[in-house]
Amino acid sequence: MALLDTPICNFDWPAPDFELQDPDGQTTTLQSAMGPKGLLVAFLCNHCPYVQAIAERLAEDTNELKATGVNTVAIMSNDYDLVPADSPANMKAYAKLSGWTFPYLVDEGQAVGKAYGAVCTPDFFGFNAHGGLQYRGRLDSAAMGNPDGRTRELVHAMRQVAETGKGPQDQIPSMGCSIKWR
């Protein structure tokens, strides 16, 4: 398991289009996922201890963001033949267990993960309503530790994006397990 950090935010980089299905075969596109104030694209998987540590906080934070007009979509780009815990059937069960209400999509060919330049799980891309990248940071200050008193960096950043269309200049990279490429 390689531990990686995400690159710094490339402000206004345009969100690559996608059309992916969830484990039940429901299709989601970039356009259909976009909220009136923005979109959070999260690259996640089931087996990563970094994702497991934040899963419930992510559910809470994304529900709050949805109320501000920022939608969320999660994409699983790992090679699940290599990591069976990340299979579509397991994705569906893990999303339910974690309380995720956003679409959790299978990137079977890994083209979407590569188009976004995703490097780890979790890897967060926060876009404004025009599809310009404004956040490429971590969920919060707690990371894998105790979440009491955490600074909710992603929520604060995406609220700023919802209000102004621009993200904060100072961002702390997300850290996690490398994406398992074919």
Side-chain angles (χ1 to χ4, degrees), residues 108-159:
E108 179 112 23
Q110 302 181 312
V112 177
K114 290 177 181 174
Y116 275 75
V119 296
C120 62
T121 56
D123 197 347
F124 300 109
F125 294 77
F127 296 94
N128 63 20
H130 303 291
L133 185 66
Q134 297 298 318
Y135 188 72
R136 182 92 187 264
R138 64 186 183 179
L139 180 72
D140 60 30
S141 61
M144 292 182 67
N146 183 337
D148 293 344
R150 69 186 174 120
T151 301
R152 298 182 327 148
E153 295 159 11
L154 184 141
V155 168
H156 297 317
M158 292 310 294
R159 281 182 172 210

Side-chain angles (χ1 to χ4, degrees), residues 56-136:
E56 290 179 8
R57 298 190 317 254
L58 180 62
E60 175 186 329
D61 291 355
T62 56
N63 285 338
E64 186 175 318
L65 288 173
K66 186 170 182 73
T68 68
V70 175
N71 288 348
T72 299
V73 63
I75 299 173
M76 201 296 295
S77 294
N78 274 356
D79 177 356
Y80 59 83
D81 289 332
L82 179 66
V83 185
D86 293 335
S87 72
N90 288 326
M91 288 172 59
K92 184 175 177 177
Y94 190 75
K96 183 176 181 179
L97 175 72
S98 300
W100 295 346
T101 57
F102 46 79
Y104 189 21
L105 308 173
V106 183
D107 183 16
E108 179 112 23
Q110 302 181 312
V112 177
K114 290 177 181 174
Y116 275 75
V119 296
C120 62
T121 56
D123 197 347
F124 300 109
F125 294 77
F127 296 94
N128 63 20
H130 303 291
L133 185 66
Q134 297 298 318
Y135 188 72
R136 182 92 187 264

